Amino acid sequence: MAEPWATLGVDLHVEPTGPGLRRGLTDALREAVRSGRLAPGTRLPSSRALATDLGIARNTVADAYADLVAEGWLTARQGSGTRVAAREVVPPAGTAHHPRATARPAYDLRPGSPDLASFPRAQWLKAARRALTAAPYHALDYGDPRGRPELRTALAGYLSRARGVRADPERIVVCSGFAHGLKLLGTVLRARGARTVAVESYGLDVHRKIVADCGLDTVAMPFDRRGTDPGGLTGADVLLLTPAHQFPMGVPLHRDRRTAVVEWARRTGGLVLEDDYDGEFRYDRQPVGALQGLDPDRVVYLGTASKSLAPGLRLAWTVLPPDLAEEVAAAKGGVDTSGVLDQLALAEFLTSGAYDRHVRATRLRYRRRRDALVAAVTDRAPQARVSGIAAGLHVLLRLPPGTEQSVVQAAHWRGLALHGLARYRNPAASVEPPDALVVGYGTPPDHAWSGALDALCAVLPG
């Protein structure tokens, strides 16, 4: 049985080489410091712990440490242990210099991210602590590829209640973000014989790329004031839509077209992929229910915690028809690819009601931000016009013809990160985008919001 002290200290990989142990150990430690592998301030194991790890005499290690302290490579203080001395580390010849990180903008109004400063850290820690305390030991194993049953059960209840989704825990597959879920679906649908996915005229190019990487072609559906128009669509096997709040145009899919989409799927045997990326954030009325509720056998629901909590959690979910659930789970490689601890914490966060409270609080905060943005633009930049419903984490700001690029460039010069609408147009679409900005109001923290509005209004046409 190992002595108690043998398990203490830090690990250090070192390989003594040369004619003698003391000299070999001294040379190896010196080179580790010289090369920068051991950074200044790094605490080394005690002489007793390192001697045990290397299987050599303690005095040999102590003598090597003393030699390097005398040479100035190490420092040794009572109560502080032995550490690497502070000195400039010269990189080896030929080492490439890493470019400096790109300077962060003074204000970031690009869409796609929530206010990360509002993440409910204290409440999340409480949920994580309760969940980990209650979790059985086997919960830390590889687990079901569909995800932890606690989370799938909690999601089924929440989505049914809050989004009108007809969900069953057995038909939910947890994934690592929306992009991961879309890739899994694309892979399965291509293997089933699908060839073409109809996408919206405006959207994220990364989603089209994921579909293409799965071996599927894409066609663009027309768009007008009632949203995406699926009428007259032929040749597609799958539709990919953002029906609750179209990104980036900011309008919901008209009720007649919601019905038409479901009828198309029933008539052709096709499948609809519903991206409900910010469906919980509607500010002027009750959020429109999920399209999946009209036909859960023909509509796949995809949701995520990226907007409601934080993208870094890497947690999303798909609610699937029965015949797809097993295949999508199998496409994950037979293992759960999402972090078990975060799944357990989110399950507790949902069932305890903390998630509802957080969403309601952030909904109020984002509504105030949107109201302030609309008021500021109306008062200070009357040539710009806010478009789209009061929902989500972005607005479409229409500009006078021919001004989009100049406004985006002026914003860049002022350290304001902005996206123009043109970057979200599908190249295959028949529509020409109007001059407009896609302004995200989720990213800036509360204390920076008024400054962000001032910077935005300063670059808009007066």
Side-chain angles (χ1 to χ4, degrees):
M1 180 176 178
E3 296 293 338
W5 49 261
T7 62
L8 302 177
V10 297
D11 286 336
L12 174 64
H13 174 73
V14 62
E15 296 181 0
T17 58
L21 274 178
R22 174 177 174 177
R23 178 177 175 182
L25 178 59
T26 303
D27 290 347
L29 288 169
R30 184 189 297 110
E31 182 56 30
V33 175
R34 191 204 315 271
S35 67
R37 186 168 71 84
L38 293 180
T42 300
R43 183 166 184 167
L44 302 185
S46 68
S47 58
R48 176 177 292 177
L50 185 57
T52 300
D53 290 344
L54 297 177
I56 61 178
R58 179 185 178 188
N59 286 343
T60 302
V61 178
D63 290 342
Y65 279 1
D67 291 344
L68 294 172
V69 168
E71 294 176 14
W73 297 100
L74 303 178
T75 62
R77 295 181 181 176
Q78 186 70 28
S80 182
T82 304
R83 297 178 181 271
V84 176
R87 59 185 297 277
E88 182 179 357
V89 178
V90 180
T95 301
H97 292 284
H98 296 288
R100 291 183 179 181
T102 304
R104 294 176 64 87
Y107 299 105
D108 190 350
L109 295 182
R110 292 171 293 190
S113 182
D115 176 10
L116 301 179
S118 70
F119 182 82
R121 299 189 185 207
Q123 293 80 6
W124 184 264
L125 282 172
K126 290 179 182 178
R129 188 178 296 112
R130 288 195 298 266
L132 188 57
T133 300
Y137 67 87
H138 59 75
L140 303 179
D141 205 346
Y142 290 106
D144 191 324
R146 293 172 299 176
R148 286 299 307 169
E150 297 93 337
L151 178 56
R152 290 187 284 115
T153 300
L155 283 170
Y158 172 78
L159 295 173
S160 176
R161 169 173 54 81
R163 300 297 300 125
V165 174
R166 291 156 68 180
D168 183 296
E170 299 302 308
R171 294 166 56 176
I172 294 177
V173 175
V174 178
C175 39
S176 304
F178 174 84
H180 182 219
L182 182 59
K183 182 177 181 180
L184 292 172
L185 283 162
T187 301
V188 169
L189 294 175
R190 181 65 179 84
R192 281 184 159 212
R195 295 292 180 269
T196 304
V197 178
V199 297
E200 296 171 310
S201 290
Y202 301 95
L204 294 173
D205 58 355
V206 65
H207 293 168
R208 297 193 296 271
K209 184 178 185 302
I210 291 171
V211 170
D213 288 346
C214 293
L216 295 162
D217 297 326
T218 60
V219 295
M221 291 177 284
F223 181 89
D224 59 26
R225 62 183 180 83
R226 297 199 300 170
T228 299
D229 183 6
L233 185 65
T234 58
D237 307 292
V238 182
L239 306 187
L240 175 59
L241 297 169
T242 53
H245 185 226
Q246 205 283 329
F247 181 86
M249 300 304 286
V251 298
L253 189 64
H254 191 273
R255 61 179 179 274
D256 293 341
R257 291 185 177 171
R258 289 167 63 91
T259 303
V261 164
V262 173
E263 289 177 349
W264 168 87
R266 291 170 178 168
R267 183 178 68 254
T268 64
L271 200 65
V272 180
L273 309 184
E274 177 183 14
D275 178 5
D276 195 35
Y277 74 102
D278 64 2
E280 293 148 317
F281 294 110
R282 180 78 185 252
Y283 310 122
D284 57 348
R285 67 190 67 178
Q286 183 77 11
V288 62
L291 184 68
Q292 187 264 8
L294 298 179
D295 192 337
D297 291 331
R298 303 254 50 100
V299 181
V300 174
Y301 178 91
L302 296 101
T304 173
S306 295
K307 304 297 183 293
S308 57
L309 288 170
L313 287 177
R314 308 312 307 142
L315 284 175
W317 41 88
T318 60
V319 184
L320 301 147
D323 58 333
L324 263 181
E326 289 189 10
E327 294 179 54
V328 171
K332 294 177 70 175
V335 296
D336 189 359
T337 56
S338 302
V340 168
L341 298 183
D342 282 340
Q343 287 189 57
L344 292 171
L346 180 55
E348 172 65 24
F349 209 63
L350 285 162
T351 55
S352 69
Y355 184 84
D356 285 86
R357 292 190 292 272
H358 171 72
V359 167
R360 292 178 71 86
T362 53
R363 187 185 294 147
L364 178 61
R365 183 181 300 117
Y366 293 141
R367 177 179 180 175
R368 289 171 177 165
R369 290 190 185 187
R370 188 183 189 278
D371 289 347
L373 190 157
V374 172
V377 170
T378 302
D379 292 343
R380 297 154 63 181
Q383 291 191 57
R385 180 171 58 88
V386 174
S387 176
I389 62 172
L393 302 182
H394 79 278
V395 299
L396 187 71
L397 204 58
R398 293 182 181 263
L399 302 173
T403 62
E404 178 181 318
Q405 290 306 313
S406 62
V407 170
V408 172
Q409 185 61 58
H412 175 73
W413 289 336
R414 288 175 173 264
L416 174 64
L418 272 179
H419 281 175
L421 176 61
R423 72 180 292 140
Y424 296 107
R425 176 184 176 270
N426 186 336
S430 59
V431 297
E432 279 300 322
D435 284 80
L437 301 175
V438 185
V439 181
Y441 49 82
T443 301
D446 286 340
H447 67 82
W449 181 232
S450 61
L453 281 182
D454 291 341
L456 173 64
C457 292
V459 301
L460 295 176

